Amino acid sequence: MDALMTVADSDSTNIRPIRKLLAANRSEIATRVFRSAHELGIRTVAIYSHEDRYALHRFKADEAYQIGTPGEPIRSYLNIDAIVGLCLKHHIDAVHPGYGFLSENPDFAKALTDAGILFVGPSEQSLRDLGDKTSARRLAEIAGVPVLGGTAQAVASIKEATDAAEKLGYPIMLKAAKGGGGRGMRVVMEPSELASSLDSAQREAKTAFGSDEVFLERFVQRARHLEVQLLGDRHGNLVHLYERDCSVQRRHQKVVELAPAPNLSTEMRDAICDAALRIGRAVGKESGGYENAGTVEFLLDVDKDEFYFIEVNPRIQVEHTVTEEVTGIDIV
């Protein structure tokens, strides 16, 4: 409990209690953060755009401040300088980013840390290591966790993509290196589809994430999508809260989450959860491993009964409530 309710002073090893917490988000997740903070006796602060001035989360916090200007309903929540300035002005000790918006932005974590404010999430370096899926793949390999065959780096040209695809064998998956949510992903079944799919994936990745970097990965045609919930603290303790099955998807976006995963053997469940812990310990190894909530995602090839690492989401997820229902643990 003390580890979750205290923040280290920027110029010493002393710790001080978190008295005031800001949720740099809106709607359901901001309200969710306020509830848990209230139960811990922490004063809560909301931010809201002009368009959200009547939103419920504003009224669920002890304090609320408008941020940004009218006509910027989304950009307001992405203004790092404005959020940090507000924290300093109102003596806010810590910021919970929720999911989406700035939750995986290492520059946001750094700006808060530099200002002496606790970022309630993984370390800046962990966010940088995991923000690029090719970097995360390398961490998994270091941890001894199997990964799907693929390119070690983003491909720079159609020739590189063609050569890599021929080596991997079709079908292959094109994936945005610095994004998620199903965007920048394309399944390529045969060589004639590669050029147009690469162009389409790069354009979508650029629009969604500001980077057109795309890498190749072997495509598993009959796969289950499993994810393991992790929780780590600043003292190097890391645990898992078992798995969720998110195989029911539309356009690579999860639609239904189940926990525990049905029809999963005890041996496979233990192996996947152990692999998630090994990856978590490999992340930010110099600083003691993964800190805060996070999810490690895997594909299970149902034909070969083998699993492969695909990515880490270094934040709380929308679907965290599914795990809370079956474990009785308040992850937030």
Side-chain angles (χ1 to χ4, degrees):
M1 182 69 72
D2 289 342
L4 294 176
M5 295 179 63
T6 57
V7 53
D9 287 333
S10 58
D11 59 351
S12 73
T13 57
N14 296 326
I15 57 175
R16 53 186 169 83
I18 296 174
R19 295 186 176 91
K20 192 183 288 191
L21 172 75
L22 179 144
N25 217 297
R26 64 184 298 280
S27 195
E28 182 272 340
I29 187 58
T31 302
R32 181 73 181 78
V33 169
F34 297 151
R35 188 185 78 182
S36 293
H38 178 75
E39 291 176 357
L40 292 169
I42 298 173
R43 189 170 179 82
T44 57
V45 183
I47 58 173
Y48 59 93
S49 65
H50 171 78
E51 288 75 10
D52 278 345
R53 61 193 182 279
Y54 301 121
L56 183 62
H57 77 276
R58 171 187 176 181
F59 302 101
K60 288 293 185 178
D62 296 310
E63 302 175 27
Y65 303 99
Q66 182 173 324
I67 196 165
T69 57
E72 297 184 342
I74 302 302
R75 191 180 303 173
S76 298
Y77 296 98
L78 299 172
N79 192 327
I80 293 176
D81 291 340
I83 294 172
V84 173
L86 189 147
C87 289
L88 294 173
K89 180 179 179 180
H90 296 285
H91 309 289
I92 291 165
D93 303 300
V95 172
H96 194 303
Y99 44 67
F101 291 131
L102 295 170
S103 62
E104 297 182 55
N105 189 315
D107 295 330
F108 184 47
K110 184 179 188 304
L112 289 170
T113 302
D114 289 348
I117 302 162
L118 176 68
F119 176 74
V120 184
S123 68
E124 174 202 348
Q125 189 57 51
S126 294
L127 291 174
R128 294 195 188 280
D129 290 342
L130 298 171
D132 187 320
K133 287 186 173 65
T134 57
S135 172
R137 280 168 55 91
R138 289 192 292 273
L139 281 170
E141 291 176 322
I142 291 171
V145 175
V147 299
L148 286 166
T151 56
Q153 305 286 345
V155 292
S157 65
I158 183 60
K159 184 181 186 310
E160 279 190 25
T162 300
D163 292 344
E166 289 178 355
K167 186 178 296 185
L168 289 170
Y170 289 89
I172 57 101
M173 171 77 84
L174 297 172
K175 299 177 74 173
K178 297 181 179 178
R183 296 183 179 181
M185 297 177 67
R186 298 290 187 276
V187 176
V188 183
M189 301 301 294
E190 56 186 47
S192 62
E193 301 172 0
L194 183 57
S196 60
S197 296
L198 178 63
D199 180 66
S200 175
Q202 288 176 325
R203 281 189 284 105
E204 186 175 47
K206 179 69 174 179
T207 300
F209 313 116
S211 169
D212 64 357
E213 294 185 1
V214 172
F215 69 102
L216 276 66
E217 202 169 65
R218 184 171 65 82
F219 178 61
V220 180
Q221 298 196 59
R222 285 173 26 94
R224 294 178 64 180
H225 193 156
L226 304 173
E227 56 188 25
V228 178
Q229 177 70 59
L230 294 184
L231 272 180
D233 67 18
R234 65 173 56 186
H235 307 291
N237 300 303
L238 185 69
V239 299
H240 71 76
L241 300 181
Y242 296 96
E243 82 292 341
R244 298 184 291 263
D245 187 314
C246 49
S247 302
V248 180
Q249 300 184 9
R250 180 176 182 269
R251 296 181 179 175
H252 310 298
Q253 277 278 45
K254 302 163 190 174
V255 176
V256 176
E257 294 264 348
L258 302 173
N263 303 316
L264 191 66
S265 69
T266 300
E267 294 76 17
M268 182 61 73
R269 174 175 287 110
D270 290 345
I272 290 177
C273 290
D274 179 68
L277 288 173
R278 296 208 308 275
I279 291 171
R281 294 182 182 117
V283 175
K285 193 172 184 179
E286 295 180 358
S287 58
Y290 189 85
E291 181 180 338
N292 214 264
T295 304
V296 186
E297 302 198 8
F298 301 90
L299 286 183
L300 174 61
D301 188 328
V302 298
D303 294 319
K304 297 182 178 180
D305 201 32
E306 296 176 348
F307 69 89
Y308 306 93
F309 165 81
I310 51 175
E311 66 181 17
V312 178
N313 291 304
R315 53 173 167 77
I316 196 79
Q317 282 191 283
V318 176
E319 54 268 34
H320 72 275
T321 53
V322 177
T323 293
E324 289 181 329
E325 285 293 323
V326 296
T327 62
I329 294 173
D330 184 333
I331 295 174
V332 173

